[in-house]
Amino acid sequence: MIHAISQSIARFQPGTASRRGYRKLPSTPVWPAPVILSIQIGILVCIVAFWEIGARLGVIDAFFWSQPSAIWATAKIFFTTGSAFTDIAFTFRSTLLGFFFGTLIGSALGLSFWWSKNYAAVVQPFIICFESLPKLALAPLVVLVFGMGLSSKVAIAIALTVVVSTLTAYAGVKALDRDSERLFYSLGASRWQVFTKFVVPACLPWIISVLRINIGLALTGSIVGEFISSQYGLGRTILYAGQTYEIALVWVAVAVLSALSIAMYVAVSWLETWLRKGVVH
C-alpha cells in the first residue's frame, strides 16, 4: 500500500506530467476589451435593425412597441424642446442624496452595534422587521408626509438603502478579530480609540462592498417616488407617456434612465476601487 501511495505522489511531481504526456488544465483565452465592445455594439445594432424592420413589415406591433426611428425622432424633441435635462437632474439628485444618506446612516447604525451586545439584540429584530416590510408599498404614505418635492424621493431611496447598509456593517462587526481587539485594550487604548482605530477600518471593506447594490436601490426608490407623485423626473415622464400612450417617449425615458444608471454604477465602481486601495494602503 505504501508503494502504491508513493507511486501516486510521484505521478504528480513537477516535471512528471510533461514527461508522461499529461495535459494542462484547459484555459479560455481572454478577449481584448475592444473585441468585447465591438461584439456588444454589434448585438445592439442587430436588435435595433430587427426591431425597425419588424415594425415596418408589421411583424412587430408599432403601436405597443413603437420603433427605433420614431424613438429617435421623439428623443430629439425631448432633448431640444422638452424637459429632459430638468428631469434627469431631478432624478440624479434624489438618487445621489438617497444613496449617500442611506449608506451613511445605515453604516453608522450597523457599527453602533459594536458598543453593546444588549443594544444590538434589542434593535436587530426591528431592523429585520423593517427589511421584510414592502417599503415600496409605503411610498404613497411617504409622499403624503414629505410632499411631492425632492424630500419624498430621497426618503424612499434612504428607506431602501439604509437596512442593507446596516446589516452589512453589522456583519463586519461580528466578523472582527477578537484577539486584535484585546491587543488594543492591552496596549491601553480606550473604547473610543478601539472603535476609531480598529473597528471602523476593519469594517470598511464590508461597507464598501455594498455601494454598488445601494446605488441601484437608491435609483429604484427615486423612480418609485416619481411614479407616485412628482412634478419632475424620469419616472414622471415614463408614467405620463404610458398614460397618454406615447410609447416612443416611454422608450426614450427608459433609455435615458438606463444610461444614467450605467453612469452612476461606473462612478460607484470607480469609487469602490479607490476606497479599497485606500483601505489596503
Side-chain angles (χ1 to χ4, degrees), residues 29-87:
V30 179
W31 293 345
V35 174
I36 296 177
L37 181 60
S38 300
I39 295 175
Q40 292 172 337
I41 295 176
I43 293 174
L44 181 60
V45 169
C46 290
I47 292 174
V48 172
F50 174 78
W51 187 0
E52 179 69 24
I53 295 172
R56 289 179 181 271
L57 296 177
V59 178
I60 299 175
D61 193 338
F63 177 79
F64 290 105
W65 296 99
S66 189
Q67 58 191 91
S69 57
I71 295 171
W72 176 251
T74 304
K76 290 191 291 185
I77 297 174
F78 182 61
F79 279 97
T80 54
T81 62
S83 58
F85 297 103
T86 302
D87 292 334

Side-chain angles (χ1 to χ4, degrees), residues 174-195:
K174 291 189 291 186
L176 289 173
D177 184 8
R178 300 305 171 189
D179 292 333
S180 300
E181 186 176 343
R182 294 189 190 96
L183 177 61
F184 271 82
Y185 284 120
S186 65
L187 295 175
S190 63
R191 291 207 72 189
W192 177 253
Q193 288 175 325
V194 174
F195 179 75

Side-chain angles (χ1 to χ4, degrees), residues 87-102 149-158 161 214-215 217-226 230 232-235 260 264:
D87 292 334
I88 294 172
F90 185 86
T91 302
F92 178 75
R93 281 201 310 270
S94 59
T95 301
L96 202 61
L97 290 173
F99 166 76
F100 175 77
F101 287 109
L150 186 69
S151 300
S152 59
K153 286 63 181 176
V154 174
I156 298 174
I158 290 175
T161 56
N214 274 357
I215 193 64
L217 292 175
L219 182 60
T220 301
S222 300
I223 295 301
V224 169
E226 293 169 4
S230 181
Y232 306 102
L234 294 172
L260 179 63
M264 289 191 293

Side-chain angles (χ1 to χ4, degrees), residues 11 50 83 106 129 143 202 254 257:
R11 192 178 299 126
F50 174 78
S83 58
C129 180
V143 173
V254 169
L257 184 60

